[in-house]
Amino acid sequence: MKYIKLAVPDDFEPSDTLRLVDYQKDGPEGATSAQVWQPHYTKVLNHGFVGLVDFYGDDSAIVNAARVSYGVGTKKTRSDRGLIRYLMRHLHTTPFEMCDFKFHVKAPIFVFRQWHRHRTFSINEYSARYSEMKDEMYEPTIGNMAPQSSTNRQGRDATILSDTDYIAIMAVVEECFSTSYQGYKHLLGPTEAGTVPPATDGVLRRLQWCQDAAVTAVKESRRRAIESEHPDPYPTEKSLEEAIQAYLDQNGVAQISTDFPGIARELARMVLPVATYSEMYWKGNMHNLFHFLNLRCDSHAQYEIRVYADAILELIRPYVPWAVEAFEDYLQHASRLSRMETEVVQELLQLPSEHIVTRIMKEKGCSKREIDEFIAKFA
Amino acid sequence: MKYIKLAVPDDFEPSDTLRLVDYQKDGPEGATSAQVWQPHYTKVLNHGFVGLVDFYGDDSAIVNAARVSYGVGTKKTRSDRGLIRYLMRHLHTTPFEMCDFKFHVKAPIFVFRQWHRHRTFSINEYSARYSEMKDEMYEPTIGNMAPQSSTNRQGRDATILSDTDYIAIMAVVEECFSTSYQGYKHLLGPTEAGTVPPATDGVLRRLQWCQDAAVTAVKESRRRAIESEHPDPYPTEKSLEEAIQAYLDQNGVAQISTDFPGIARELARMVLPVATYSEMYWKGNMHNLFHFLNLRCDSHAQYEIRVYADAILELIRPYVPWAVEAFEDYLQHASRLSRMETEVVQELLQLPSEHIVTRIMKEKGCSKREIDEFIAKFA
Amino acid sequence: MKYIKLAVPDDFEPSDTLRLVDYQKDGPEGATSAQVWQPHYTKVLNHGFVGLVDFYGDDSAIVNAARVSYGVGTKKTRSDRGLIRYLMRHLHTTPFEMCDFKFHVKAPIFVFRQWHRHRTFSINEYSARYSEMKDEMYEPTIGNMAPQSSTNRQGRDATILSDTDYIAIMAVVEECFSTSYQGYKHLLGPTEAGTVPPATDGVLRRLQWCQDAAVTAVKESRRRAIESEHPDPYPTEKSLEEAIQAYLDQNGVAQISTDFPGIARELARMVLPVATYSEMYWKGNMHNLFHFLNLRCDSHAQYEIRVYADAILELIRPYVPWAVEAFEDYLQHASRLSRMETEVVQELLQLPSEHIVTRIMKEKGCSKREIDEFIAKFA
Amino acid sequence: MKYIKLAVPDDFEPSDTLRLVDYQKDGPEGATSAQVWQPHYTKVLNHGFVGLVDFYGDDSAIVNAARVSYGVGTKKTRSDRGLIRYLMRHLHTTPFEMCDFKFHVKAPIFVFRQWHRHRTFSINEYSARYSEMKDEMYEPTIGNMAPQSSTNRQGRDATILSDTDYIAIMAVVEECFSTSYQGYKHLLGPTEAGTVPPATDGVLRRLQWCQDAAVTAVKESRRRAIESEHPDPYPTEKSLEEAIQAYLDQNGVAQISTDFPGIARELARMVLPVATYSEMYWKGNMHNLFHFLNLRCDSHAQYEIRVYADAILELIRPYVPWAVEAFEDYLQHASRLSRMETEVVQELLQLPSEHIVTRIMKEKGCSKREIDEFIAKFA
């Protein structure tokens, strides 16, 4: 199977079918039905997903780019795969830039924070300035809610929490999420973007909540100012506290005005947790994608981004099978030996004869060229 | 004033002073004290800051790079400034890449989210996987807590909230922040990084809170599953709920085990709001910095990032005064006219004589070359 | 017309035709023939070309990316165009990164030298280390062989050379090209890539040429060392000259050995002029492409790269017509006014009433929003 | 030794000396002379050089950036080096971006062509549009003028040419260079940039040369059109040839007009060989620089760029000694093992006991952590 681009009328739907009526090679009557390519999505985490929404370039695009340096003759399938493996093995990476993939991703903000550190990709993300965020937050399953690793300062342990502990922990998480999202909705005000205001008792409940919280707020605000490591010169902090105190002295409670319009979305979102889901289009070339996958499919990557990376690898595999295979053999599952380690293997290799190495490598399906290259690494 | 690099012994402290003893130009005894350059910091928002911690390249570095294309002769100060203005005016931007600045920034996560979209900079950020986040969150002053703009879908209004509304709003914000940070600390467990566990009554209070929250959690979790736009196929969600329910049916409350170790930092942080402060080193060249400043000093940028951008512009001004001046005149305060608008001005310019334009521009200190260039834009 | 991706058997040829047999909308029998998309090439300069060999993303991809920030409702064609124009006008450039184009380009090396300064594109170029360069060099037509501009230090004049001068100039150019390419072939040696050596008299002629040239070489080499601004400490230069001189003193002439294998391609190419044609695949996203086109379609760009840029703009136009139109109206044919120029227009605008501006802009097809934005630029 | 930035008067010269008069630590009278940092240059090839003209950031800048993630305590020198080695070993590369280096480079154009493919650096290059190129071209020494490698399609052999062959080859090279540069000067015309025209007999000699060359030109031009693989539709080619032929039929010779102004520099340069030297400022961060060095210090890199890369490594070593050491141990002299090779070493490691590996690695100065990491690579 390969993919071609086809010009169709504007009102053509992906569900409309096509037939290769003049394509005589396989069918008796020359009518072979052809599959319109459609985006595929994979569900990830509790509310997330990653979808391959478009791409161009396949294994042959890599080969064509590599061969711009010499005349293309008749090349057998075998040698295309061999060339791709050679390019990957020797880090001739520019031909892999000739494939490009576009994904649609929904993931928690803290995952996007790691994701966006990959600077070579194009991004269009859901805007919390422009639109209201939904009440969708990441909640780890019991299998992923793990204690801090005792050996790795930035990872988690393999221990599974007891059901009881997990329930207690999730109760805390839910409490945080509910409070934050309720707060967010409250800050947005009774009406948003022209929709009808929420039911009156909801507004009243929020008002009551504010009144209760005001006293806490003053105390908390003061505690922060006192405990803060960086004593706070924030100019209006003091007048804020004084205003709150004066008001409370006089009225006992704070009361929101009935015509309060809600504050700007770009501000209201500040109370939302980093577990809140966001969405983006994410697009880049395959060389950079392999770099991303090499780091993020790794066991040292945080679980919550690793599951996205794993899904992406499977999404692209059908379109660039040889490139993915080469990526796995020469990057993802490769080892890097330091100068000293290299010398160790060099010494080890002196013990067994080269024949043993050759035999083992042949058993693993390595080509003559790969065997020579391996031995040369320690010459 | 200009800056030189000086080799000093390793134990030299920035507070140690130096004298230019053999520098005879100014003093009678040739001893002029010289100032060791030190990082400067500007406070921004309630807990934030931005500091210029290092840099290299100044106005003369721009000029030298531009002049690599022809032999450098004796150039007067005036013509250096003129060359920099010419380069900026005509978007010959590569010489501006020859200056590089490194900043130390502390800002809320939602500000960093916008900041990190500038892909050409180098970043080292505080790691919430590795370290515990502090209880420092952004709280807008009354002057900045504004309603959604009615005309701009992604901005805020100029209206100032009443004191009462502000207090009520801040009460909600504090409630969210307190709950989230308490939740975060709870998730981290009674002991963190080998420190002594918190006082017993604190632990007990958290346990009580969990028990109360567990019931809410189950309801909430169910509500989410029902209300969610994307019905949730998350595999373990169901068993989670069932486990919670079963446990509650049997025990009435969830109870955290006394030896609960806390969950991994990389997970616990998920409940923290995007208003939480983080820190980073941020480094890049001046051309890219001007691009950042042009977008982020703009009135359409969110206030909370604009204050950082404004501070950065003032931090670099003393070291590249002509480049900053040219940036302000030709980028920051420039207008872009579309093809159609250009034609409008063209028609308007036919009414008054060129003499008027020339006179007005002379009054504004434009050079002959600038006047010619202006008229040529509409020829 | 729009483009879909279609899965077809591996032996499907682009010349095979397809019919949309079940697509009932337009035809009586539901059989509409569909066009397989094919690369298009445009000839540029004497031996060059630029071809669009693949792409993905069109106007609707831009719109979809921009709309990830809010729910997509039913949008009319008109508003898609309006959104694209709005994005371009306000430099919201990230959605334009969602289209990607791949070109096959053949151009002189000095053109590639300018081209490769655009750092955001992926490149696979013909390798002069790996393969032999062809005898194809750029020769300007009489219309483009112009004198140095007297006003612009880096451009050319509009003057057309006389036929006589053009002939004389081309004679010089041909002399240079012939000598260089003959020299290149000679350096590569009698046999290349296993082919039969050239005819004996050719080799002999080259040998004779060497003998004649040897004397010149020594003199020239000495002259260079003397006249060079940077007196040359090149370690073996002296021994080289001495070797040549000694040899010549003894033998009178240099003579190449009959079994001389030719020198490495990576070295031999050093004598080739920068007018020699090379080839590359060149791929990047549309935002960066517009940046390239804005600089290289400009009248200040060197003619020899401008013709490629002009061709590229026409190659992509059919696939992103609204984006190209917006590019032309808001970037390519836009004007940039400095702060001072802005103030001048501001003063000019006070003379005529706003009504005049409104009327003129309406005549030019500007929307109400554009008129407001124009007036706001000078408020 | 470390470097500080010092503010000095504008007329301070690098040769002026300073004393640390109040710095009491080492000297009896507290007067320690301090060294003003100056750019260093290394000569490379016959006319080239590379100079470190400015930089900022040293080993401690890497460490500080890495430690932004946790509180900085008192760290011993030993652990700084250990941290840098850890970061490099595990490809935590962002802290290495915190150092930045600016170089001044003079190299042949074909070397710059490879150099500029590294897209993350800032470049300001000598402009052949703006300025006249000098008569400086790369001439390989006898040690570097090698035949094509018989095994490597893109490299050269280790064979040394005989003196005789070298002389003959250099004769060809000189012939090409002289012809090209003479042609270039001729195209620029009798007067350049207001200087006095060259002596009359020089002009006459050039005219004579043109007349002789014109006949060749026509023949050559025709031969090119015939032999060219891509039959040439270049619109004016035909009229050019006809014009030349018509002129020659009538006059016998072409004659340049006495007031011929010379053609534009941007065009005239087309005859210059890629061996011509150019200059640039080149600036980028150390992470990207190590990537450049890893590829270009390699034995597979072309010799003519490798000598620059080797020089750069030595230029930066004094300022970032630990980073350079780590680069050499973990990148430059590292080996990469494929999945299959990794399995081979895994099998080999089963033969000797771990004790042997531990002993060998200890002898090489590896830390306990490195030994564990090595064994873990094959677990």
Side-chain angles (χ1 to χ4, degrees), chain B residues 11 18 20 22-23 69 131, chain D residues 11 17-18 20 23 69 122 131:
Chain B
D11 60 353
L18 295 107
L20 310 181
D22 296 331
Y23 173 77
S69 56
S131 303
Chain D
D11 60 351
T17 58
L18 293 109
L20 310 181
Y23 170 78
S69 55
S122 295
S131 304

Side-chain angles (χ1 to χ4, degrees), chain A residues 1-13 16-23 25 34-37 54-57 61 64-65 68-70 94-95 97-98 100-102 122-127 130-131 281 283 285, chain C residues 1-13 16-23 25 34-37 54-57 61 64-65 68-70 94-95 97-98 100-102 122-127 130-131 281 283 285:
Chain A
M1 274 307 197
K2 66 180 184 186
Y3 291 86
I4 59 166
K5 238 193 274 309
L6 197 72
V8 293
D10 278 331
D11 60 353
F12 182 88
E13 301 286 342
D16 292 333
T17 57
L18 294 109
R19 292 219 183 128
L20 310 181
V21 288
D22 295 330
Y23 171 78
K25 281 153 202 163
Q35 196 76 36
V36 179
W37 186 86
D54 208 351
F55 75 95
Y56 77 138
N64 287 341
V68 77
S69 54
Y70 46 91
T94 52
E97 297 179 23
M98 290 292 144
D100 216 89
F101 295 92
K102 193 194 296 178
S122 295
I123 297 171
N124 274 103
E125 189 181 344
Y126 190 88
S127 166
Y130 196 97
S131 304
Y281 281 107
K283 166 184 170 294
N285 72 48
Chain C
M1 276 304 198
K2 64 181 185 184
Y3 291 86
I4 58 165
K5 239 194 274 307
L6 197 73
V8 292
D10 277 332
D11 61 353
F12 182 88
E13 301 286 342
D16 291 335
T17 57
L18 295 108
R19 292 215 185 132
L20 311 180
V21 287
D22 295 330
Y23 170 78
K25 280 151 203 166
Q35 196 75 35
V36 179
W37 186 86
D54 209 351
F55 76 95
Y56 78 137
N64 287 342
V68 77
S69 55
Y70 45 92
T94 52
E97 298 180 22
M98 290 293 143
D100 217 89
F101 295 92
K102 193 195 295 180
S122 295
I123 297 171
N124 275 103
E125 190 182 344
Y126 190 88
S127 166
Y130 196 97
S131 303
Y281 280 108
K283 167 184 170 294
N285 72 48

Side-chain angles (χ1 to χ4, degrees), chain A residues 270-343:
Chain A
M270 72 187 165
V271 300
L272 289 174
V274 295
T276 309
Y277 276 87
S278 181
E279 277 184 51
M280 68 170 170
Y281 281 107
W282 186 66
K283 166 184 170 294
N285 72 48
M286 189 165 63
H287 163 60
N288 291 326
L289 187 60
F290 280 151
H291 184 74
F292 172 87
L293 294 174
N294 199 29
L295 289 177
R296 302 302 180 180
C297 291
D298 191 88
S299 64
H300 292 89
Q302 182 163 353
Y303 168 79
E304 281 75 20
I305 195 166
R306 199 163 68 232
V307 285
Y308 285 90
D310 289 344
I312 286 172
L313 188 62
E314 295 316 313
L315 281 171
I316 68 168
R317 190 188 297 274
Y319 308 106
V320 280
W322 291 333
V324 165
E325 181 200 49
F327 162 72
E328 291 175 324
D329 284 349
Y330 299 116
L331 274 189
Q332 191 180 18
H333 302 310
S335 318
R336 283 173 55 256
L337 303 189
S338 70
R339 177 180 60 75
M340 296 75 77
E341 290 170 341
T342 302
E343 289 167 13

Side-chain angles (χ1 to χ4, degrees), chain B residues 294-310:
Chain B
N294 199 29
L295 289 177
R296 302 302 179 180
C297 291
D298 191 87
S299 64
H300 292 89
Q302 183 164 352
Y303 168 79
E304 283 74 20
I305 195 167
R306 200 163 68 233
V307 285
Y308 286 90
D310 290 343

Side-chain angles (χ1 to χ4, degrees), chain A residues 158-207:
Chain A
T159 316
I160 303 279
L161 289 192
S162 69
D163 276 9
T164 326
D165 282 355
Y166 179 60
I167 290 168
I169 285 293
M170 281 311 296
V172 176
V173 170
E174 279 293 347
E175 177 74 14
C176 293
F177 288 173
S178 294
T179 305
S180 296
Y181 198 77
Q182 265 187 291
Y184 175 62
K185 291 293 282 186
H186 183 82
L187 294 177
L188 288 178
T191 68
E192 314 131 34
T195 65
V196 181
T200 314
D201 61 332
V203 174
L204 288 178
R205 190 167 52 76
R206 283 213 294 274
L207 286 174

Side-chain angles (χ1 to χ4, degrees), chain B residues 87-359:
Chain B
L87 294 169
M88 184 69 81
R89 198 156 72 242
H90 292 276
L91 301 181
H92 295 318
T93 55
T94 51
F96 295 100
E97 297 179 22
M98 290 292 143
C99 300
D100 217 89
F101 295 92
K102 193 195 295 179
F103 300 95
H104 184 195
V105 187
K106 184 173 176 186
I109 286 172
F110 72 89
V111 170
F112 273 11
R113 292 253 294 147
Q114 297 180 350
W115 205 310
H116 292 176
R117 297 299 307 281
H118 294 264
R119 290 165 288 187
T120 54
F121 291 85
S122 294
I123 297 172
N124 275 102
E125 189 182 344
Y126 189 88
S127 167
R129 294 185 73 190
Y130 197 97
S131 303
E132 190 180 317
M133 300 298 282
K134 291 183 195 149
D135 186 9
E136 292 178 332
M137 286 151 199
Y138 172 58
E139 292 169 343
T141 61
I142 191 163
N144 297 313
M145 185 70 98
Q148 180 70 29
S149 163
S150 55
T151 57
N152 180 355
R153 290 269 300 158
Q154 63 172 335
R156 61 183 87 164
D157 208 59
T159 316
I160 302 280
L161 290 192
S162 69
D163 277 10
T164 325
D165 283 355
Y166 180 59
I167 290 168
I169 286 294
M170 282 310 296
V172 177
V173 170
E174 280 292 348
E175 177 74 14
C176 294
F177 288 174
S178 293
T179 305
S180 296
Y181 199 77
Q182 266 187 289
Y184 175 61
K185 291 293 282 188
H186 183 83
L187 294 177
L188 288 178
T191 67
E192 315 131 36
T195 64
V196 182
T200 312
D201 61 333
V203 173
L204 288 178
R205 189 167 53 78
R206 282 211 295 273
L207 286 173
Q208 184 59 47
W209 183 36
C210 291
Q211 291 158 6
D212 297 344
V215 180
T216 315
V218 175
K219 290 185 191 156
E220 182 64 24
S221 190
R222 218 170 254 151
R223 185 190 62 73
R224 280 167 194 276
I226 293 162
E227 292 183 5
S228 171
E229 281 187 23
H230 298 268
D232 194 347
Y234 195 42
T236 61
E237 181 88 12
K238 195 164 175 307
S239 55
L240 155 61
E241 280 190 61
E242 280 169 1
I244 294 181
Q245 195 54 55
Y247 187 89
L248 291 176
D249 288 348
Q250 200 170 359
N251 300 278
V253 295
Q255 191 157 344
I256 203 164
S257 55
T258 50
D259 60 349
F260 169 66
I263 64 165
R265 284 181 290 273
E266 67 179 18
L267 267 180
R269 51 109 168 241
M270 71 186 163
V271 299
L272 288 176
V274 295
T276 309
Y277 276 87
S278 181
E279 278 183 51
M280 68 170 170
Y281 280 109
W282 187 65
K283 166 186 171 293
N285 73 48
M286 190 166 60
H287 164 60
N288 291 327
L289 187 60
F290 279 150
H291 184 73
F292 172 87
L293 294 175
N294 199 29
L295 289 177
R296 302 302 179 180
C297 291
D298 191 87
S299 64
H300 292 89
Q302 183 164 352
Y303 168 79
E304 283 74 20
I305 195 167
R306 200 163 68 233
V307 285
Y308 286 90
D310 290 343
I312 286 171
L313 189 61
E314 295 316 313
L315 281 170
I316 68 168
R317 191 189 296 274
Y319 308 107
V320 279
W322 291 335
V324 166
E325 183 199 48
F327 163 72
E328 291 175 324
D329 284 349
Y330 299 116
L331 274 188
Q332 191 181 18
H333 302 310
S335 318
R336 282 174 56 255
L337 303 189
S338 70
R339 176 180 60 73
M340 296 75 75
E341 290 171 341
T342 301
E343 289 167 13
V344 171
V345 176
Q346 209 168 348
E347 291 195 27
L348 289 177
L349 280 178
Q350 286 167 358
L351 307 178
S353 81
E354 275 194 11
H355 293 301
I356 299 179
V357 171
T358 303
R359 182 179 50 73

Side-chain angles (χ1 to χ4, degrees), chain A residues 94 97, chain C residues 118-123, chain D residues 116-121:
Chain A
T94 52
E97 297 179 23
Chain C
H118 294 264
R119 288 165 289 188
T120 54
F121 291 83
S122 295
I123 297 171
Chain D
H116 292 176
R117 297 300 306 279
H118 294 263
R119 290 165 287 188
T120 55
F121 291 84

